[in-house]
Amino acid sequence: MENDMFCYQCEQTVGGKGCTKVGVCGKMPDIANLQDLLIYQLKGMSFYGLELIKKGEKIDKKYISFIEDSLFSTLTNVNFDLDFFVNQLKKSKKYKNELKSKIANTIDESDIARYQLPDNKEEMLKDSKIAGIMYNENLDADIRSVRQTIIYCLKGISAYSHQARFINYHDDDVDNFYFEALSAVIDDSLSLENLIDVMIKAGKMSVKCMEVLDKANNELFQSPSPQKVNVKTKKGPFIVVSGHDLKDLEMLLEQTKDKGINVYTHGEMLPAHGYPSLNRYAHLVGNFGGAWQDQQKDFDNIPGCILMTTNCLMKPRDSYSDRIFTTSVVGWKNIKHIPKENDGTKDFSEIINKALELGGFKEDEVPQEILVGFGHKATLSHAEKIIKLVKEGKIKRFFVIGGCDGARPGRNYYTEFAKQLPDDCIILTLACGKYRFNKLDFGDIDGIPRLLDIGQCNDAYSAVRIALALADAFNCTVNDLPLSIILSWYEQKAVADLLALLSLDIKGIYLGPSLPAFLSPNVLQYLIDNFDIKPISTPEDDLKSIFRNS
């Protein structure tokens, strides 16, 4: 039926199988189906784009930016605005025809490339069924599984690359890989083994795009250093900035610096406090609330404004729908959107004026501080001491505990796991999964904090840099280190992070709280056999297994 949908790209999909009536995220069937059709169009664009790349031609970056923005907009909890997707689809038709016009008509076009998108929303919705994940009922389940895993990794890559491109950093190999990978998932001549190779290459591209973003952030905002962050509120008007995009935060800080407005980070924006170029603003006063899934409760009736720069956006309640603003590719119908000007700037005057009008908090809360800013450069500046403590037996093991948070029961596993670690273990954490335990006091080992917040989800790259440096110091591989990775996933950036780690041949990752519905039994078994992927069980049993085998 036209009102049906099928989506299983996130961890909280209904029944662990797929959302078919409405998304757990709040995505309605019409939006879900237009998102599918947009991905379908990107595949068609990539068919022609790849032909141009094979001929040695350079693809105009406007097409790459469009593919990137489109992929990002379909990532979980990013955009819920039907008009946005209609406009993107119309643009996709224009761009696909432009790419097609650049090559000779002698190539054997695929059905997806030949498809001509209608011009109105109603006809688009009728056509969208051909783009559904399950439309081809005869497709081999393992082929479908790997194809979807590649697409979800591309969505994660697009989020990171979009953030870097906004500050004028990009990588041509990553840009060209969009065309290669999207073409691969419609190429029926590719075997399962061929597609697995593409999937692993997607992991390598994920590493590369995280490296580009790391370079961009470290050069533009200066390398993070340890900073204390107040997690309580202060008196006065305020704006809460959520998401990941540090440039948006910087522009807002610059435009509010003389306005008497306090700025708080939220969710994945917390690591911003570690960057000197951002921390220098005195009115960046702290971090507000918990992880993304708590936002409806945290934002309920607050006397200030919220700016959503990237995911994760939940359906705004009426109590704050007049004070939440979106920007970039984020959107919700009837929610104010702040666009990017042609010169790359944004005018935040409307949200600033609204914050001043609302007046803010009436008094200061008693401060409570946590530590952030342990990126790879800051952490490795203590490498000599860390190595010494390992050799002396004072540090027995490192645990990377991080990833996406979510609302599904069972995520208290990560809290309990962290709390049950022996006092001679160091925790490296990243992404919003840290909110499960980042306000707990873990103490230190001879001055080295036991909890090191290394940043956002894209800072999985920092974890890799730290692990590689330790492996080099101990003259061993990463898999030989006293290191365990406990990964929580929710959406597609976590898929990109996981494939990035697998592409580096990192084995024995514990994955939870549940396994992805898009992994077929055979593909899951492949990952278990080749990378020793381990579904989480209980903190007690997993810790026993880790220490028994160490």
Side-chain angles (χ1 to χ4, degrees), residues 350 355 376 424:
E350 187 172 0
H376 59 90
D424 54 10

Side-chain angles (χ1 to χ4, degrees), residues 39 42-47 49-50 53-54 67 71 146-155 157 173-187 190 194-195 197-203 205-206 499:
I39 297 297
L42 299 185
K43 294 171 183 175
M45 283 180 61
S46 293
F47 178 87
L50 186 60
I53 291 170
K54 287 176 181 176
I67 288 175
L71 284 166
V146 179
R147 284 179 174 179
Q148 290 305 124
T149 303
I150 292 167
I151 289 171
Y152 299 150
C153 184
L154 289 178
K155 291 187 181 191
I157 288 171
D173 289 340
V174 175
D175 290 351
N176 287 342
F177 184 69
Y178 288 130
F179 296 93
E180 177 188 339
L182 286 166
S183 295
V185 299
I186 60 172
D187 187 347
L190 295 183
N194 296 147
L195 285 168
D197 288 343
V198 177
M199 182 178 74
I200 298 303
K201 185 173 181 180
M205 291 299 111
S206 182
L499 290 185

